[in-house]
Amino acid sequence: MTERPWDHEAAKRIVASMTTSEKISLVDGRAGFPVGTDGELVTEPPGGLDRASYPAPGAVGCDGYTPAVDRLGIPALHLCGAGVGLTDMYTQRRDLAESTVFPSAMAQTASWDPSITYAFGAALAREARAVGVNVLLAGACNLAVEPWCGRLFEYHGEDPLLSGIMVAGEINGSQDEGVLASIKHYAANFQETGRFFIDTVVSERNLRQGELRVFETALEHCDPAAVMAAYNRINGTYACENGYLIGTVLKGEWGYPGWVMSDWGATHSTVASALAGLDQEFPMGHFFSQQLADAIQAGQVPESRLDDMCARILAPALTLPPAELVPLDVERSLAAAEQIAERSIVLLSNDGVLPLDPSTPGTVLLVGGNADRAVLSGAGSAAVQPRGGDPINGERTDYNAFNRVTWVPSSPLAALRAVMPAWEVEHLPTDDIDAVLNRARDVDLVVVVATQHTSEGSDLPDLSLPDEQDALIEAIADATDDVIVVLQTGGPVHTPWARRVRAVLEAWYPGHRGAQALASILIGAVNPSGRLPVTFPASSDQLVRPGPVPIPIRPGSERPEKVPPHGNFDWVDQPFEVRYDEPVGYQRYDQDGLVPAFCFGHGLSYSQFSSGEVTLTPESDAVVVEAELTNTGDVAGIEVVQVYVALPPEAGEPPLRLAGWSIEPLEAGASTRVTVRVPRHRLATWDVEAQRWQLQGGTYTFRVGASSRDLPRSATIDLPESQLPTLAERRRST
Ligand code: BGC
């Protein structure tokens, strides 16, 4: 982690010179695109505004904006969604609207390598600086509790440690390139259905050890300028006015020094939010505008709170480089996108058909997924207007990609042809299934690209591939034995045909150079090293909730005709609580003895690795795990050595928890000594009574291997009971 040179004292001195209206302009964040007089989002220029002056003067045309205060050297803030690239800007200038699409966050997390998310964050920041964006609304890291959640592609998997470390890589990458970053959505935004009012009910211990541990881990490894508070309620209170989450935990126990902004339209009050610790509202000025000034005037919110809000924003904002556009090296961005994609693709199964030999002539038929032209991406506020245009839907005709299915110009057909010149690579559309099946019988190999589109704002009904793609794969598998399936999905899907095909690859949403990365992996120019950051269930029966919990609406009550995109959801007049009592992901599968289709941490390589005896060495605040690792295969490869720990039974925890890992590139036949340092707090449980992390005294079993279900080596160590320091205390001592 690079320590940020935030000067809170300098920020406070500036705040002391600000007028109340200047202070309010900083905390009353507005849309970077125009809103109508009723506060509704405007997607067409309102009357009287010509297109040339749209968006509003001052804003570069993105999600959020606060004006500069030139006399005090306070920069304008331009905040832009950036889950997988810079989201499409609200501008007529095509060169500013289009951005590079990077592999999704879920894809990046499959690399298990924070230098990969760092590379993404840095590339993203360079894209931002080219168009005048200086705050990235990236860093989405809600725990992947529900595999059908529409935003899984933006999140970093089902394990808190993995998720926190991976998102921190991204934030460090962005901030090191001079662009501020936020982490979001604090906290427990687990399902999209009803997200504006759902009440996530979760026990303190589960919350601390699950979702909050993601944020705590991230804040241990990075200093995001901002934390975005979520839409939903947590244990009865909206995230933006949740004093426990923001005041007690984030700013108190964790000592978080930056600012807390609302998600877009997630603020529900002035006084309660201000007192709970919210520092900035977006984007409509409903609560932190004149209302906040009035509340201060009336003595309901102390002026010192407003000063604190401003100082928290200014301290990081003062580190921003001068507001000038820095030309983008597009090729560099695309190269980063390709490198990230190469590391994120997961080889789920392979009977030896892969890698393909590019020099042996043969015929391959590519089917499905618009594979002649594009790869898929996810939708919502993370949707990017792809550089070079969407080859399937053509040029955009409006300003809003939020609800669209966007395809990215990266052609698997062209990429395969380029790397396999001795092969004939054909493509057939799936609308004539007979033609596909006839041709499938004659070629040497069929590669089926199967896709699943997902989006913010909605969830999947279930995990089956849509549009009868399962039936298509089965029909092709009936016609020929030589089938490879390439998945492009937001998260896990059902793979009922997996045993009938020769290989399955998970490519996620692979971005602008996804096709090239895929081709490199298919021919073995790149040895796959991705590992699953989420469990693939064998069937819906294995899920706690097989699909999204529906919004309860009292009979007779009606959804109004015009529902604002964000904001007032008073028409939902029923409590909407969802309880999350179970362990998440692999921990629940392990606890309940369920056998998934593909387990957490799984991923094959074209090499084989074997590890030797495990040794454990206690240190004052850690356990050092060591083992010999050998690449016993014929080719160089990268192994992700995974360390899991079983806590003493008295801790009452699920059988295993991820404790650390190491990325090990190894030449064929080479060996290395792998060292994974496991700080003690990774072994801790949350003591509700003492309100602290505690280490249970007893025997800890460390298990080492290639996935959560392939852990051939283990060793034990006895550790004494102890109470552990808080994050703020840990940070003060380093
Ligand atoms: C999303 C946030 C996003 C914001 C602004 C909201 O709909 O939940 O993640 O940053 O829009 O784009």
Side-chain angles (χ1 to χ4, degrees), residues 471-540:
L472 173 73
I473 297 169
E474 300 275 6
I476 295 173
D478 286 342
T480 169
D481 290 337
D482 297 306
V483 185
I484 292 174
V485 175
V486 175
L487 295 167
Q488 289 175 20
T489 67
V493 286
H494 291 318
T495 53
W497 31 258
R499 285 177 205 283
R500 302 195 59 205
V501 300
R502 300 195 61 188
V504 183
L505 287 131
E506 175 57 88
W508 317 103
Y509 300 145
H512 249 113
R513 286 275 170 89
Q516 289 81 351
L518 178 64
S520 298
I521 284 188
L522 287 173
I523 63 158
V526 169
N527 192 348
S529 59
R531 304 289 184 265
L532 288 181
V534 277
T535 304
F536 276 45
S539 75
S540 290

Side-chain angles (χ1 to χ4, degrees), residues 93-171:
R93 282 186 51 191
R94 208 182 153 78
D95 58 329
L96 295 188
E98 292 184 352
S99 306
T100 307
V101 183
F102 295 87
S104 63
M106 181 66 79
Q108 296 179 30
T109 307
S111 72
W112 290 53
D113 186 347
S115 78
I116 289 294
T117 44
Y118 185 97
F120 165 65
L124 196 58
R126 290 191 290 269
E127 302 254 334
R129 293 192 65 182
V131 295
V133 164
N134 55 15
V135 183
L136 291 163
L137 307 171
C141 62
N142 296 103
L143 204 55
V145 171
E146 307 287 18
W148 35 256
C149 169
R151 290 192 93 165
L152 232 58
F153 74 99
E154 295 183 60
Y155 299 163
H156 294 76
E158 69 188 26
D159 180 80
L161 181 67
L162 178 66
S163 189
I165 285 181
M166 296 303 282
V167 78
E170 170 185 341
I171 287 162

Side-chain angles (χ1 to χ4, degrees), residues 63 137 151 184-185 195 228 231 263-264 381 456 566:
D63 293 299
L137 307 171
R151 290 192 93 165
K184 65 189 188 184
H185 310 85
R195 66 176 170 156
M228 185 189 289
Y231 284 119
D263 199 342
W264 266 230
S381 64
E456 174 186 338
H566 301 294

Side-chain angles (χ1 to χ4, degrees), residues 184-199:
K184 65 189 188 184
H185 310 85
Y186 188 68
N189 188 167
F190 297 146
Q191 79 161 36
E192 289 299 284
T193 308
R195 66 176 170 156
F196 298 113
F197 41 86
I198 195 170
D199 185 6

